[in-house]
Amino acid sequence: MDRNKFSAIAHRNHAFSNPISEAKIMKMLGIVSPKASDKVIDIGAGKCELLIRLVENYQVSATAIELYDGSIEEAKRNASTRIPEGSIEFIVEDASTAVERCDPDGYDFGICIGSTHALGGLEPTLKTLKRLVKKNGHILIGEGYWKQTPSPEYLEALGGADESECKSHADTVKAGEELGLIPLWSYVANDDDWDDYEWLYSMSVENYCLENPDDPDCEAMLQRIRTWRRTYLTWGRDTLGFGLYLYRNN
């Protein structure tokens, strides 16, 4: 099965590819309220919807780092009809390599939502953004957290995940504080946000396979999404959270 295709189908109807509601995301951007002269960097930018919104609403200039060229191609198509050409610099590369060429203190706003794994985890990502973002600039992280201690069965269902891969909500905030960042705001996905995200994720794959029965990947995609859906309903809904964490670089 082509996992990139699976991911693209699963997320095709969700603008931001994470369970935080659009209203919460846009309020968070309003809290930052960037200036037109600001430079923004997004690590693991995906389809770049967040950067496109920032350019549309605040006329910033932006840099998108994303490993998957399919996501960037979709981002370029979306950007071409909505924002001036050249507003976003698209870098298709492994994040750990790309950030080494970025200017220290070169950005006013640094973002990494759902992609801290690309830099080795939460703390390394916060350290990287602290280095790249100017003093008094903003850092926005999107990260999973444990609502409660995960059961061994849930960790096994996640492919043998380790409990240490996520922190509690409070400890996620604290991780930034320990690096000298100042927490300004946090939102978490509530049950409705999660249900909207997960059921849309599931339904997109189910509908694609119904409409494309000759796709040789359909059987594997259906098996994977149905296993994922059972995992979410059995354990994930009560155990795994997702939050946005806004800091000011101190």
Side-chain angles (χ1 to χ4, degrees), residues 227-244:
T227 299
W228 181 266
R229 188 166 63 227
R230 287 193 297 271
T231 298
Y232 168 66
L233 293 171
T234 304
W235 299 290
R237 193 172 187 268
D238 298 322
T239 305
L240 182 63
F242 190 87
L244 288 180

Side-chain angles (χ1 to χ4, degrees), residues 126-245:
L126 288 168
K127 289 178 182 177
T128 296
L129 289 174
K130 181 175 175 64
R131 177 176 63 84
L132 296 180
V133 171
K134 299 173 183 177
K135 182 178 175 61
N136 295 325
H138 292 91
I139 292 171
L140 179 62
I141 294 286
E143 183 78 349
Y145 69 92
W146 297 130
K147 297 179 183 178
Q148 61 180 3
T149 301
S151 69
E153 294 83 5
Y154 182 40
L155 293 173
E156 181 63 28
L158 292 176
D162 192 292
E163 183 181 340
S164 65
E165 291 178 20
C166 290
K167 302 177 183 294
S168 69
H169 177 53
D171 284 344
T172 302
V173 174
K174 186 179 178 181
E177 289 180 296
E178 290 178 341
L179 293 174
L181 304 176
I182 299 172
L184 296 180
W185 201 277
S186 179
Y187 274 128
V188 300
N190 61 25
D191 285 347
D192 286 344
D193 295 333
W194 268 115
D195 285 341
D196 284 347
Y197 179 73
E198 293 290 353
W199 283 106
L200 183 59
Y201 182 72
S202 169
M203 184 176 67
S204 295
V205 176
E206 293 281 359
N207 287 344
Y208 173 84
C209 291
L210 177 66
E211 295 160 6
N212 299 273
D214 296 329
D215 189 322
D217 287 333
C218 272
E219 184 177 350
M221 286 194 292
L222 287 173
Q223 181 178 355
R224 182 176 181 185
I225 198 61
R226 289 167 184 175
T227 299
W228 181 266
R229 188 166 63 227
R230 287 193 297 271
T231 298
Y232 168 66
L233 293 171
T234 304
W235 299 290
R237 193 172 187 268
D238 298 322
T239 305
L240 182 63
F242 190 87
L244 288 180
Y245 302 90

Side-chain angles (χ1 to χ4, degrees), residues 30-51:
I31 293 169
V32 176
S33 192
K35 302 184 293 295
S37 59
D38 282 356
K39 294 183 178 180
V40 181
I41 186 168
D42 189 345
I43 298 170
K47 298 180 292 184
C48 299
E49 180 62 26
L50 190 61
L51 290 183

